[in-house]
Amino acid sequence: MYKRQTYTTALNSFLRFRGERDLLFEEVDSNLMVEYETFLKGINVCPNSSSFYMRNLRAIYNRAVERELTVQRYPFKHVYTGVDKTVKRAVPLKVIRRIRDLDLTLSPVLDYARDLFMFSFYTRGMAFVDMAYLKKKDLQNGVLVYRRQKTGQQLFIKWEKPMQEILDRYGHNDSPYLFPVIKDTAKDVVRQYRSTAHFINGKLKELGKRLGLGMPLTMYVARHAWASIARSKNVPLATISEAMGHDSENTTKIYLASLDTSQVDKANDIILKSL
């Protein structure tokens, strides 16, 4: 499901560039993709997002080549398909405590956003899309079992008291889902998840400003924070990789490298002070 969604996202972006006009595979060449990349830059799409679109379009194109629907013209050879290091999105444990301990009694919407953020942190940085699709039947005998939407990997999480405390506030309904993110199974569940994700991240950014974080607070921060804090506690890389459902330790290394530059910053500080 996740892969189909990513392909659809990339195709929708490309169709906006094309003005919804039909396109033959024979027309897909390097000049066209360079034009598309220029279009993305013109609407302020960041390099990593542009690369995301390109990689998914390339996968679709290569599948067409495999099925002999077209010949290989290598249309993506002159566009960027790499991944830049992301801006640091982790926060230290003391900030997680501040978020947890905020009195939001008078603001139930912010309270809900905070609870989902903390649930993600409690569950080893569970991605919001996976939280949205959690079902009540996934929690049995003190263990939460789910498959990552992104990779299909099955994960097992011991159910802890703070997780139950959050669920007690939102789990009393007739829905098969654990949280009230997907509220109507008869309607487009993907649209419901995306709409809620956008709403929750907006409220978390409000919380971040209230705390004076100096960086956007989003659901991603919970995942990044868990990984960064685990590493700072000397949790082995293999354990972090397994906990987060990464497909390899190399993925985790890249992930962690983008989170914490404190040691590099300390080294630079020493050098500058020695001048």
Side-chain angles (χ1 to χ4, degrees), residues 139-154:
L139 177 58
Q140 295 184 22
N141 302 317
V143 178
L144 181 65
V145 183
Y146 74 99
R147 288 190 181 276
R148 289 198 66 199
Q149 293 289 319
K150 185 174 183 179
T151 64
Q153 183 176 351
Q154 189 175 48

Side-chain angles (χ1 to χ4, degrees), residues 53-260:
Y53 295 142
M54 294 297 180
R55 294 196 309 273
N56 281 286
L57 291 173
R58 182 176 61 187
I60 296 169
Y61 180 86
N62 287 342
R63 185 165 296 181
V65 172
E66 290 173 4
R67 295 182 178 181
E68 298 183 348
L69 298 176
T70 188
V71 297
Q72 182 60 269
R73 296 180 179 81
Y74 302 101
F76 300 90
K77 60 184 177 181
H78 295 309
V79 295
Y80 180 66
T81 55
V83 179
D84 287 343
K85 282 188 177 182
T86 56
V87 176
K88 182 180 176 182
R89 289 188 283 187
V91 293
L93 194 57
K94 63 181 180 181
V95 172
I96 297 295
R97 291 195 190 102
R98 288 178 65 198
I99 295 170
R100 179 197 64 188
D101 296 339
L102 270 176
D103 184 359
L104 298 172
T105 307
L106 299 178
S107 183
V109 174
L110 291 180
D111 198 15
Y112 177 48
R114 185 264 305 277
D115 281 346
L116 293 183
F117 178 92
M118 291 306 304
F119 185 84
S120 172
F121 183 80
Y122 293 149
T123 53
R124 309 188 316 228
M126 185 185 295
F128 186 73
V129 63
D130 295 327
M131 289 172 56
Y133 285 97
L134 286 177
K135 292 189 174 180
K136 292 175 181 175
K137 67 179 182 180
D138 296 333
L139 177 58
Q140 295 184 22
N141 302 317
V143 178
L144 181 65
V145 183
Y146 74 99
R147 288 190 181 276
R148 289 198 66 199
Q149 293 289 319
K150 185 174 183 179
T151 64
Q153 183 176 351
Q154 189 175 48
L155 298 179
F156 300 81
I157 297 178
K158 181 184 176 184
W159 195 247
E160 303 284 1
K161 182 180 178 181
M163 304 174 195
Q164 184 62 46
E165 288 174 347
I166 291 175
L167 184 60
D168 285 342
R169 292 195 280 276
Y170 306 104
H172 303 293
N173 53 63
D174 296 329
S175 169
Y177 293 99
L178 214 57
F179 290 106
V181 175
I182 299 171
K183 298 178 181 179
D184 190 343
T185 56
K187 295 182 179 179
D188 188 337
V189 295
V190 174
R191 179 173 293 181
Q192 291 179 71
Y193 142 69
R194 288 178 176 170
S195 175
T196 304
H198 179 75
F199 176 78
I200 293 298
N201 280 326
K203 295 304 173 184
L204 288 175
K205 287 174 184 177
E206 287 184 32
L207 282 182
K209 290 178 181 178
R210 180 180 295 194
L211 291 169
L213 294 186
M215 60 175 282
L217 183 64
T218 67
M219 289 299 297
Y220 279 117
V221 174
R223 182 168 175 80
H224 287 232
W226 191 91
S228 181
I229 292 168
R231 192 59 172 163
S232 73
K233 300 291 185 182
N234 297 315
V235 175
L237 182 66
T239 302
I240 297 174
S241 182
E242 181 180 352
M244 303 193 75
H246 284 160
D247 52 7
S248 74
E249 287 186 28
N250 284 333
T251 301
T252 310
K253 287 178 181 177
I254 295 170
Y255 197 85
L256 288 169
S258 71
L259 298 183
D260 187 8

